[in-house]
Amino acid sequence: MKSVFHKITSFTMALLVLLSTFSFSVAQHYCGDVLVDYSFLGHAESCGMEVQETAELPECNLVKADCCSDEVLTVDGQNDLKVSFEKLSFEQQQFVALFIYTYLNLYEGLPENIVPFSDYPPPLLVKDIQILDQIFLI
């Protein structure tokens, strides 16, 4: 049960770090108050109702107000996750170095398996205790 909980917690924390560093933008095109198009990857397509200036009649300067608008929502991710080792104080650097050293040497095994009682013979049995107590392994 502990192993499953540990795996779920690790996966959740990794997903949280991934989502906190992920940045994206959403482009939206509105025609009036109505959302016409949106895009996560690029520019949203327009509805084709933009105001075009006519070059035929330069003396006529009638320009309609544009009813379309574009909005871009940007969510910036976190960029400063890596803490530099040089920013730590000397005591903190010592603690990190010693922690890593002791953690790595914690799982280092001995060169040979030492059995302290290998030179001694087992004790002599005067009576068979299992038969006396009638304890039998099934």
Side-chain angles (χ1 to χ4, degrees):
M1 184 67 180
K2 184 178 179 181
S3 174
V4 173
F5 180 70
H6 184 15
K7 288 179 183 178
I8 290 172
T9 305
S10 299
F11 179 74
T12 306
M13 290 175 65
L15 190 63
L16 180 68
V17 168
L18 176 71
L19 292 177
S20 69
T21 59
F22 187 67
S23 60
F24 63 94
S25 63
V26 178
Q28 300 172 342
H29 180 77
Y30 287 96
C31 189
D33 291 334
V34 178
L35 176 64
V36 177
D37 191 27
Y38 64 92
S39 175
F40 290 106
L41 300 176
H43 185 70
E45 294 182 15
S46 66
C47 60
M49 295 185 65
E50 287 84 19
V51 175
Q52 298 177 356
E53 294 183 18
T54 59
E56 298 171 2
L57 301 172
E59 66 273 355
C60 182
N61 290 333
L62 296 176
V63 178
K64 291 172 100 179
D66 193 11
C67 67
C68 296
S69 63
D70 290 327
E71 289 184 12
V72 177
L73 302 173
T74 303
V75 177
D76 292 328
Q78 190 176 14
N79 290 330
D80 55 348
L81 287 179
K82 185 177 180 182
V83 177
S84 176
F85 193 69
E86 289 82 22
K87 290 182 181 177
L88 299 176
S89 68
F90 181 70
E91 289 83 15
Q92 291 172 336
Q93 289 179 2
Q94 278 185 326
F95 175 75
V96 170
L98 289 175
F99 179 77
I100 291 171
Y101 177 76
T102 56
Y103 185 77
L104 291 177
N105 289 335
L106 180 66
Y107 296 110
E108 187 176 295
L110 296 174
E112 62 182 56
N113 192 7
I114 298 173
V115 181
F117 51 84
S118 63
D119 296 333
Y120 301 107
L124 296 174
L125 294 177
V126 178
K127 296 181 182 176
D128 196 1
I129 297 175
Q130 291 180 347
I131 293 178
L132 286 176
D133 294 335
Q134 293 187 2
I135 300 172
F136 304 105
L137 297 175
I138 295 176

